[in-house]
Amino acid sequence: MNRVRIPAIALGALALSLSGAAFGAGQGAKHYRPGAAEVARTQKDFGGGAGEFRFVVIGDRTGKHRPGVFEGAMEKVERLRPDFVINIGDLIEGNTEDLAQLDTEWKEVGAAIDRLSVPFFYVPGNHDLTNEVQRTEWPKRLGADYYSFTYKNALFLVLNTEDPPQPKIARMKLFEQYGGEAMKTVFESLQGDPAKAEALFASDPKLAELAAKIRGSENVAFSVDQVKMVRDALAKNPKVRWTFVLMHRPAWKVDSPAFREIEHMLKERPHTVLAGHFHKYAYEARGGTDYIQLGTTGGIPGGVVDDSAAVDHVMWVSVAEGAPRVSNLKLDGLFGKQGPAAIVRPD
């Protein structure tokens, strides 16, 4: 029997989850023309329907970013050809009021993003909006720092957790004062089980003191106008099939009355919440809703050494019928047709 050999895309086991539709499978069965009645295939519907789409979410780039990682990710994403790309903040190192330095940093990341032939949506992070100078630069260069849009009857809410910017923490001073082991313990506890964290801090006043200082800088801020934007967007789009909420800091991990109000507005509709900031992947289901904290796409890895959740990746989201399907592609798991040792460049 003659067999048709299909060239590998070299995405490993993840190729099945991508289902081929992202690579131009067409708009369903109307484009299918079998050459003979006995074509050997299953009778499932074709992917790529008119209402289907795929998008990519990019993790943190900064916090002592590693040169070339983000750039390589943009090249790999371009080969996947999603409908669009969106990030969850922290594209530049920031933390400066020097306009020349900010210009250099934005041009650097912009050059990498320009490798994409599909739209890229910006979400602000704490490195992007550290101070009032950076807040002024953002709209000049990019546009609104919180907004909404719809695409194929799905609603996207882009939130700004730095509205206004939160106090900057002098982590090096805390490192010198409390030591690296205490810093690691507190950060891991704050990202873990809340009950266990509180029990630990109750048993160790020094760790509790350090945790209070860190928490003071890890809060989120949503202005009254931003909450109104969410309310208006939801009112204008009451019957979308899904709502995606993107932000930088995972607001569900802190005590934020404004975010609780946003969650209350969302509770009657199916939605997914995505964030980053802590440089390691984490998932939790809250009231039947997926809350996902992405890892990095070039930023310094978080967590402990060999922590499998501290990974460079991009998130692939497929939207068709029912709930969105989420797959995470490790950057070191993608390679081009030349093989794993070749330098990947878009065709």
Side-chain angles (χ1 to χ4, degrees), residues 8 96 114 151 220 256 320:
T96 181
D114 282 345
Y151 185 74
V220 300
S256 170

Side-chain angles (χ1 to χ4, degrees), residues 1 3 127 130 145 148 166 171 189 260 262 275 288 290 327:
M1 178 185 297
R3 297 179 183 273
H127 278 259
T130 308
D145 54 31
S148 69
Q166 295 301 288
R171 293 188 179 178
S189 297
R260 287 200 300 270
I262 291 172
D290 290 337
S327 300

Side-chain angles (χ1 to χ4, degrees), residues 54-65:
R54 288 94 187 156
F55 66 96
V56 163
V57 188
I58 302 295
D60 287 50
R61 173 185 175 266
T62 53
K64 297 182 179 179
H65 70 282

Side-chain angles (χ1 to χ4, degrees), residues 47-257:
E52 298 182 22
F53 66 96
R54 288 94 187 156
F55 66 96
V56 163
V57 188
I58 302 295
D60 287 50
R61 173 185 175 266
T62 53
K64 297 182 179 179
H65 70 282
R66 289 158 288 140
V69 178
F70 184 83
E71 291 80 358
M74 293 301 98
E75 293 178 352
K76 291 171 180 176
V77 168
E78 172 63 14
R79 299 177 75 88
L80 297 178
R81 287 289 299 171
D83 288 52
F84 61 88
V85 179
I86 190 166
N87 82 314
I88 45 78
D90 276 9
L91 287 173
I92 64 169
E93 294 293 347
N95 292 318
T96 181
E97 296 182 352
D98 185 327
L99 290 175
Q101 178 62 29
L102 291 172
D103 185 61
T104 297
E105 292 182 8
W106 278 119
K107 284 181 177 178
E108 179 184 25
V109 74
I113 292 171
D114 282 345
R115 303 180 189 191
L116 298 172
S117 59
V118 298
F120 184 100
F121 291 88
Y122 293 86
V123 177
N126 60 294
H127 278 259
D128 308 315
L129 297 179
T130 308
N131 51 57
E132 289 303 318
V133 172
Q134 290 184 251
R135 288 191 79 186
T136 301
E137 283 296 297
W138 178 282
K140 289 180 181 178
R141 295 175 178 274
L142 305 173
D145 54 31
Y146 56 82
Y147 54 92
S148 69
F149 66 92
T150 58
Y151 185 74
K152 293 189 177 180
N153 199 33
L155 173 64
F156 291 78
L157 298 172
V158 172
L159 305 185
N160 175 9
T161 56
E162 318 301 312
D163 184 21
Q166 295 301 288
K168 180 182 175 182
I169 186 171
R171 293 188 179 178
M172 184 55 67
K173 290 184 178 179
L174 293 182
F175 185 91
E176 294 170 353
Q177 182 179 356
Y178 293 92
E181 189 64 32
M183 290 282 287
K184 183 182 76 170
T185 299
V186 169
F187 270 107
E188 290 178 356
S189 297
L190 290 175
Q191 296 180 58
D193 186 306
K196 290 182 179 179
E198 293 308 318
L200 173 64
F201 301 149
S203 67
D204 190 323
K206 183 178 180 181
L207 292 182
E209 180 181 81
L210 175 58
K213 293 179 179 180
I214 292 175
R215 278 172 167 162
S217 71
E218 291 296 348
N219 207 345
V220 300
F222 300 103
S223 66
V224 172
D225 287 344
Q226 186 171 180
V227 175
K228 182 180 183 299
M229 180 278 293
V230 173
R231 184 180 297 107
D232 291 346
L234 295 176
K236 291 177 182 177
N237 299 279
K239 296 182 179 180
V240 292
R241 54 179 169 167
W242 208 266
T243 298
F244 294 93
V245 184
L246 295 103
M247 70 193 77
H248 181 61
R249 298 182 196 254
W252 63 92
K253 294 187 174 184
V254 300
D255 183 15
S256 170

